Amino acid sequence: MQTSSNPIKGVGTDWTEYSLINDHGMTVKFLNYGGIITTITAPDRDNHFENVVIGFDNYQDYLNNENYFGALIGRVAGRIQQGHFMLNGQSCQLPKNEGENHLHGGPAGLDKVVWQVELFDTATSAGAILSHTSNDGEGGYPGTVKLKVCYRLTNDNQFMIDYEAVSDQDTVLTLTNHSYFNLSGDLKDNILNHEVKMDSSQFVELDHDLIPTGKILSVTNTVFDFRNGRKIVDGVDSTDQQNIYAKNGYDHFFIFDHQNEEQVVVTEPISGRMLTVKTDQPGMVMYTSNGLDHTLALKERQSEKYLGVCLETQSSPASLEHTGFPSIYLPADELYRQSTTFSFKTI
């Protein structure tokens, strides 16, 4: 197991890229800026290592990372309608950074923070502890929150993300990582033929602004039913209004049944790569990069629609407006602790 750091020149004076490398050669690289995961190399069925996430060719472009490539997201992942919520009878107004709504922590979210990083390695894993204190009122949110995120790569080709946070006041919080996965390797193909299997029988209905309506729908007899496996292209070709609202694809919160050991399994038939997701989070937003265009210079090629799939394990901001949704309420002095493991295998 190895860890290393490499200062990034020409961007910020305090930007550093860190590398976690296991004994098989699998590598995870990330920045202290936004905790952004820039590279994950994983083997295909012929043990050929290639990058399986989207990242910019020029690190300067992460300063304007509107697609949140690889970033840590918070304080609240997802959309908050009108940027407004009530907490303990008090009105809280957040900045609006997506039309009339607040998205992914706002214009100064955790994706734009320079985190403190402490590397570690053991006989079986290489990792890093990312720490940051978000002060009361930062991003419009109440409470001073002490955050700690652990990235860990094991010799079993598991990449684990553990989140911890404590607030000195009642607040709202749900954290996630916004990596775009593409198992074809080095962005050789789009993700339309990726097959997804998901332990979920319910998803959240959205309106035309991608704001939850308050309805939780059954996946049965829809292209949102991934319980037995389904290709992403099914949702792209779908005439379902929910897919059309999401710009012909998926950008929806799925509620996990937690009946299987693994909540998500993604496979890519040509490379033979398989990515499994195991989490204690109540659900996940699956976003199929429907909003990407061709204007961004990525490491391997120009960007395009459907080039990556995000697996954003989290709770639901819809709980601020509607009952029956996984809560994001965090009482003062109560420990927020969540974990997601991405395991890379082959078939």
Side-chain angles (χ1 to χ4, degrees):
M1 310 301 294
Q2 299 178 50
T3 59
S4 64
S5 60
N6 179 39
I8 303 296
K9 297 179 180 178
V11 187
T13 56
D14 47 4
W15 281 31
T16 301
E17 184 176 56
Y18 298 87
S19 298
L20 311 177
I21 307 168
N22 73 11
D23 292 341
H24 307 299
M26 182 176 168
T27 303
V28 175
K29 295 184 179 182
F30 68 94
L31 301 175
N32 57 347
Y33 178 73
I36 291 170
I37 295 167
T38 59
T39 304
I40 298 178
T41 62
D44 64 9
R45 63 164 60 94
D46 298 319
N47 206 37
H48 180 50
F49 284 78
E50 293 173 305
N51 182 31
V52 294
V53 293
I54 289 179
F56 283 116
D57 185 44
N58 185 344
Y59 285 14
Q60 185 94 22
D61 291 339
Y62 284 114
L63 285 168
N64 187 31
N65 188 14
E66 293 182 354
N67 296 284
Y68 301 93
F69 292 145
L72 286 173
I73 302 297
R75 292 186 191 186
V76 171
R79 294 173 176 85
I80 297 178
Q81 186 173 12
Q82 300 290 313
H84 179 267
F85 63 95
M86 300 294 294
L87 183 66
N88 299 336
Q90 299 295 313
S91 176
C92 298
Q93 182 62 55
L94 308 175
K96 300 173 182 179
N97 62 321
E98 190 191 51
E100 288 299 303
N101 303 309
H102 176 90
L103 175 66
H104 289 334
L110 298 179
D111 59 298
K112 300 186 177 62
V113 163
V114 175
W115 294 70
Q116 298 296 313
V117 177
E118 182 181 344
L119 296 174
F120 67 87
D121 57 83
T122 69
T124 57
S125 67
I129 304 292
L130 292 78
S131 303
H132 173 67
T133 297
S134 179
N135 293 319
D136 181 30
E138 195 171 285
Y141 291 95
T144 294
V145 179
K146 294 184 177 180
L147 301 134
K148 189 176 291 186
V149 180
C150 179
Y151 288 166
R152 187 182 320 133
L153 177 64
T154 75
N155 271 334
D156 295 326
N157 287 359
Q158 293 183 329
F159 177 53
M160 310 166 88
I161 307 181
D162 297 319
Y163 305 89
E164 288 189 5
V166 176
S167 175
D168 66 352
Q169 298 178 39
D170 291 353
T171 192
V172 294
L173 187 80
T174 185
L175 309 176
T176 196
N177 177 268
H178 210 286
S179 289
Y180 289 66
F181 294 98
N182 184 320
L183 302 183
S184 71
D186 289 345
L187 304 185
K188 287 195 295 295
D189 201 356
N190 60 39
I191 48 110
L192 296 184
N193 285 318
H194 282 44
E195 182 172 292
V196 178
K197 188 175 181 181
M198 197 187 312
D199 180 21
S200 172
S201 58
Q202 294 180 307
F203 74 102
V204 172
E205 183 183 64
L206 302 177
D207 68 14
H208 63 281
D209 286 328
L210 303 178
I211 297 295
T213 65
K215 291 183 179 179
I216 296 175
L217 304 180
S218 170
V219 303
T220 302
N221 297 324
T222 74
V223 293
F224 292 84
D225 191 349
F226 290 92
R227 289 173 293 184
N228 295 313
R230 175 183 295 278
K231 289 187 176 181
I232 289 172
V233 70
D234 290 354
V236 173
D237 294 339
S238 167
T239 58
D240 190 309
Q241 189 64 57
Q242 285 298 296
N243 297 114
I244 294 170
Y245 281 159
K247 299 181 181 177
N248 301 107
Y250 299 97
D251 195 1
H252 294 75
F253 187 82
F254 292 81
I255 298 172
F256 292 138
D257 296 338
H258 280 291
Q259 292 181 343
N260 301 336
E261 183 178 352
E262 294 155 338
Q263 282 63 60
V264 186
V265 180
V266 185
T267 54
E268 201 283 314
I270 297 175
S271 69
R273 289 187 179 91
M274 177 169 69
L275 168 60
T276 66
V277 180
K278 184 176 181 179
T279 186
D280 53 9
Q281 292 275 25
M284 178 186 81
V285 172
M286 184 171 75
Y287 172 55
T288 48
S289 55
N290 324 313
L292 273 186
D293 58 26
H294 63 281
T295 62
L296 305 177
L298 307 177
K299 282 186 178 181
E300 297 88 358
R301 59 184 283 190
Q302 286 294 114
S303 60
E304 66 176 54
K305 201 170 181 177
Y306 310 125
L307 201 54
V309 57
C310 300
L311 309 170
E312 305 163 53
T313 57
Q314 59 179 87
S315 283
S316 175
S319 61
L320 296 174
E321 295 286 334
H322 307 286
T323 59
F325 289 78
S327 176
I328 64 170
Y329 174 63
L330 180 65
D333 301 320
E334 183 173 300
L335 180 64
Y336 172 96
R337 178 181 283 160
Q338 301 287 352
S339 180
T340 298
T341 297
F342 301 94
S343 299
F344 293 86
K345 307 172 185 177
T346 56
I347 55 173

